[in-house]
Amino acid sequence: MNIVRTIADVRTALEPHRRAGRTIGFVPTMGYFHAGHASLMRRARETSDVVVVSLFVNPTQFNDPSDLTAYPRDEERDAALASTEGVDILFAPAATDVYPPGFATTVVVTRVTEQMEGATRGVSHFVGVATVVAKLFNMVQPTTAFFGQKDAQQALVVRRMTRDLDIPVRIEVCPTVREPDGLAMSSRNVRLSAAARDQALALSAALSSAERAVAAGVRDARVLLDSARAVMRGRGVEPEYLEIVSADTLAAVDRIAGEALMAVAAHVGGVRLIDNVMLRAG
Ligand code: AMP
């Protein structure tokens, strides 16, 4: 595996592959890899000739400076895992290369950024995400880019942006990988104390209780949200948001007909966690 640190070097490394007509699979990440990241790399490896993973803790998408400072980092461990997954190029640029002095351009996606993560973390979060993903797409020029359903709104924002800006990349969204007890894998989970790790199950427990209720015939979103909130409260966790929305537009849904996205965010032991499921009325 080749580790490259500059935009010029990633272009140089990819040039012969592009000329040979090889497909490039790309997995953008902020590092501290877990099985969720590995699943994206594996999917890229299965479907692409060349696999590029970027490792960049993007400062502009952090609304909370202490979250940025506390974000876990371990490049050596990440490089070992990426290499095991058959990644060809690990692209780890410096912030000064991504945002050189005088940097003055942003990508603003509207509508699908206004709810949930956008409403709680502020508009700057998805401006940071869209801008860095657009830049990474221009640097790597992948055939396909792989994102996790764990960050459902982010995947929707990236899809919207690539369509609206005619960026020639296919977006593939891969399922959320969970711990055996249901907790969605996240780089932030290492910051949970033992007690908070237990409490963190409130999110997945609330979502799976709603899935079970839908399977049992409940269709009223208010009823589903009230009982999911009660599940969380029973574990001592208050959601920052808990919503059932259209998976395409993120508009609130009153009744489940077909598919709807149920998404939750909560602070548990000082760590902000998110999770979601697709509710399907059969
Ligand atoms: P991050 O490093 O947290 O920015 O995540 C990089 C990519 O991995 C994003 O597309 C995430 O949605 C995805 N990802 C993070 N956690 C998971 C998970 N538990 N399952 C599947 N994908 C994930």
Side-chain angles (χ1 to χ4, degrees):
M1 186 180 71
N2 188 2
I3 301 180
V4 299
R5 298 191 182 278
T6 68
I7 297 162
D9 284 350
V10 82
R11 286 194 202 285
T12 306
L14 287 169
E15 172 60 24
H17 296 299
R18 221 184 300 284
R19 218 167 329 115
R22 298 191 186 110
T23 58
I24 297 169
F26 179 43
V27 182
T29 82
M30 298 204 298
Y32 213 77
F33 296 151
H34 50 67
H37 296 111
S39 74
L40 302 184
M41 295 177 204
R42 218 163 294 155
R43 180 70 188 146
R45 182 69 285 164
E46 281 164 16
T47 55
S48 319
D49 297 325
V50 182
V51 176
V52 183
V53 172
S54 65
L55 195 177
F56 181 61
V57 183
N58 176 36
T60 67
Q61 72 190 69
F62 283 81
N63 51 308
D64 175 358
S66 64
D67 189 28
L68 173 61
T69 313
Y71 202 84
R73 295 158 211 248
D74 188 343
E75 190 189 304
E76 216 170 295
R77 179 177 156 280
D78 285 348
L81 190 141
S83 175
T84 306
E85 294 299 338
V87 170
D88 298 299
I89 297 174
L90 183 67
F91 175 40
T96 46
D97 200 19
V98 178
Y99 301 112
F103 187 85
T105 305
T106 52
V107 176
V108 182
V109 178
T110 58
R111 299 162 79 145
V112 289
T113 54
E114 285 152 18
Q115 319 73 352
M116 298 177 355
E117 291 297 283
T120 51
R121 299 185 70 172
V123 287
S124 67
H125 170 64
F126 282 122
V127 173
V129 169
T131 304
V132 81
V133 172
K135 284 172 64 66
L136 290 166
F137 283 175
N138 282 331
M139 296 170 197
V140 174
Q141 296 178 38
T143 318
T144 306
F146 299 84
F147 290 85
Q149 175 65 19
K150 156 88 179 351
D151 298 274
Q153 189 175 14
Q154 170 175 281
L156 196 63
V157 169
V158 169
R159 263 195 210 288
R160 189 71 264 160
M161 174 189 76
T162 54
R163 283 183 192 158
D164 290 353
L165 297 184
D166 307 300
I167 302 178
V169 59
R170 202 175 72 84
I171 305 298
E172 185 172 326
V173 181
C174 302
T176 301
V177 178
R178 298 178 179 281
E179 300 285 357
D181 63 4
L183 179 69
M185 298 236 179
S186 165
S187 304
R188 290 186 174 88
N189 290 352
V190 291
R191 290 169 49 203
L192 295 166
S193 66
R197 169 67 183 75
D198 199 46
Q199 268 196 313
L201 286 176
L203 285 80
S204 56
L207 297 172
S208 52
S209 78
E211 276 182 308
R212 284 195 301 275
V214 170
V218 180
R219 296 289 178 267
D220 187 321
R222 180 57 36 214
V223 171
L224 293 166
L225 290 168
D226 285 348
S227 55
R229 202 176 290 274
V231 169
M232 294 185 75
R233 204 167 295 137
R235 292 177 177 266
V237 177
E238 203 54 50
E240 188 174 24
Y241 64 77
L242 176 66
E243 296 184 24
I244 299 178
V245 297
S246 151
D248 300 322
T249 64
L250 303 186
V253 160
D254 293 332
R255 281 191 70 74
I256 314 298
E259 281 190 346
L261 177 73
M262 185 170 191
V264 62
H267 288 268
V268 181
V271 181
R272 188 173 184 281
L273 301 175
I274 61 171
D275 198 355
N276 67 82
V277 289
M278 290 295 286
L279 299 176
R280 292 188 176 90

